[in-house]
Amino acid sequence: MRPATSVHGHASAAPGPDDLRLWYDRPATDWETQALPIGNGPLGAKVFGGVAFERIQFNEKTLWTGGPGSPGYDFGNWRRPRPGAVEEVRERIDRDGRMAPEAVAARLGLPKSGFGAYQTFGDLHLDLHLDQAGAPQVPSGYRRELSLREAVARVGYSADGVAHSREYFASNPGNVIVGRISADRPGTVSFTLRHSSPRDDKTVTAAGGRLTIRGALSDNGMRFEAQVQVIAHGGTRTDDGDRVTVRGADSAVLVLSAGTDYADAHPAYRGEDPHAEVTAAVDAASARSYDDLKAVHLADYRRLFDRVRLDLGQGVPAVPTDRLRRDYTGGSAADDRALEALFFAYGRYLLIASSRENDLLPANLQGVWNDSTSPPWSADYHVNINLQMNYWPAHQTNLAETAVPYDRYISALVAPGALTAREMFGARGWVVNNETNPFGFTGVHDWATAFWFPEAAAWATRHLYDSYRFTGDERYLRDTAYPVIKGAAEFWLDFLHTDPRDGKLVVSPSYSPEHGDFSAGTSMSQQIVREVLAHALAAAERLDVDQDFQAETRAALERLDPGLRVGSWGQLQEWKSDWDSRTDTHRHASHLYALHPGDQIAAGSPHAEAATVSLTARGDGRTGWSKAWKMNFWARLLDGDRAHRMLAEQLNGSTLDNLWDTHPPFQIDGNFGATSGIAEMLLQSRHDAIHVLPALPGAWRTGSVSGLRARGDVTVDATWKDGAPDTVTVRPGRSGPLRLRSSLIAGRHRILDDRGLQVGARRDGDTLTWDAAAGRAYTIHRETAAAVNATAAPGVPAEA
Ligand code: FUC
């Protein structure tokens, strides 16, 4: 077993358990299932790795149709006031107890207009091997790979006795995608570079070895521009209309950047023409050497990626990743562990690649990758589970930086969401419904089973409060999180309804996502509203502000229906009335929100038992994200084997050859949800205690993890042996009481700080509490009988 390494441990590209690569022995022919993704947040690309023809499909995250400028765009808000419409629905629900989604949509819905869709920027094509007229000899030793340790994609093969190689990476510093085409025999690199896209809205010109792709979307007039500089070493380079040709070079470098005139500002959502910024980015990167660009990229990427290491006892698989996935059994083979460790790391890789500090938009349903003009669900921001799931691993797996665009985006929804709250709901605060776009679509559409979900705003703010809990950063709470959380809470203070059945405050109309009838007081609605009110109140108390708001919120919480009920067959009820069916395997399990991501249900409690009954009835199937969520649920129920079984279900049934999650089709939330689920199996931090290795599955006999983050600003490493925790190390970023729970504490153990001093801690069952000092490291060791005798008194060196 490898010892736990430090948070800032070194990265090695050498084979070993740390070797994290997806690799294949043939080129990709399919975008969705085979091509390999690289990205730097704002820019993404997919590499195919063809031998005679290379295709690099690329994206810039703000390139969207729809919104202002698009005919009929209405932000989803009713065009004319509908006085009494909501009240009428409420009254019918009060009277009949339920109402069909179609009937509600007919009264409250509105056809979608100008919503738009995320757009591909198009493809770069390299027509290679011009010397052989595009037809190389049969290549040998072909390999295509994505190194997760470096965030570099590679293609290599030999033809005609020459070894050819290509490398691509997306650098966040400088905002460029860089490629290098090289060979081990001088003068053998020849290709033509050209661009294509499915829209007829641009011009492509070549000058000075630079392709410029420039235009405006006909739908909304959004301006876009990409530039690709070709730098040839040796040989010749010629511009030819809309293409650039290199002949007889030793190697060549490509530098791409792209942008649009999108701005995340209501109501116009337009800013500067992208020309100057794109030109500056490509000029600056082109002036540096390839090695220099790569070194800057690696330093930036590794600063994030290397913070966490997971060793499940995996070896380096001898088979390509598509075989590894097909051969996966979920059993005890070393290759099974290798795929699981790779899948965990891949979620972190994908998050870094699709969401960074300088992004205007968060990762969408496909992260930053899309090859289409009409992707599934517009590749938008669904906020009834999907966007939230994307960010579950951000703090847990030590990638706080990736959540910055999420905060920015949610904050940018406040202005349009306040108009929707006022005009449609007659409420203060702000709101967003089932799904949204980059242009403040906070209203509704009319797809009956997925159009009405005003709880989405409150749910979206859970992440902001949680960010504060992870970091303890009070300035962030005051300036960024609280105003947004408060607005989401105020909406509900105004829009809650008194249930005539029992006088409780309920959400009405209320709808458990994409499932059943409308009613009053659906479990998820109540759990979310309770949470946002509690978060807003806790934040206001902490910041000592808004006394009237505090009083109002406290009063509402007292009258609020809690949304937690155990039904006739022992299940956690999905609705306030006991309507649940034992045979219902719907993909959404929204009524378990209180278990995860919420923390209103503690493992072992009667509600946890009921959640177990509900989850068992839902089964192990359905879409990729649904399986990922179930993994998180089981981990929260402290059932590591069931959580692991869901991981196996996801890898077997909902994962593509390039390890992308599939709904189907490809949807990236499942990748992020699975990485979160694995993290939840290893570490949980709720109810004021840090629980280390809470749900270790039997399949993971021996291993280690380092660098995970717990709420309270604590970094955690752990090792385990023969299925039992062996050591736990915690590094608090703040001084104060620390409560640590682990099964190893229930047995013989010893706690030392990083000076080797024994720490005076109070034990209660499997929980230790002590006063921790910021910057110190504390390690709890499982003790053998012999070592116990040597235990020293508190405050003196343990090893004399
Ligand atoms: C939600 C889910 C669907 C899909 C869509 C993008 O509406 O119910 O399964 O994931 O988002």
Side-chain angles (χ1 to χ4, degrees), residues 28 30 125 209 273 315 325 393 472 637 642-643 713 732:
D30 184 55
H125 304 273
D273 184 283
R325 194 196 64 78
L637 291 166
R642 285 303 300 264
D713 192 9

Side-chain angles (χ1 to χ4, degrees), residues 365 377 382 384 386 514 587-588 625 663 667:
L365 283 172
W377 291 287
H382 265 60
N384 67 355
N386 318 86
E514 316 208 18
R587 64 192 180 287
H588 287 266
W625 65 255
H663 185 280
Q667 205 171 285

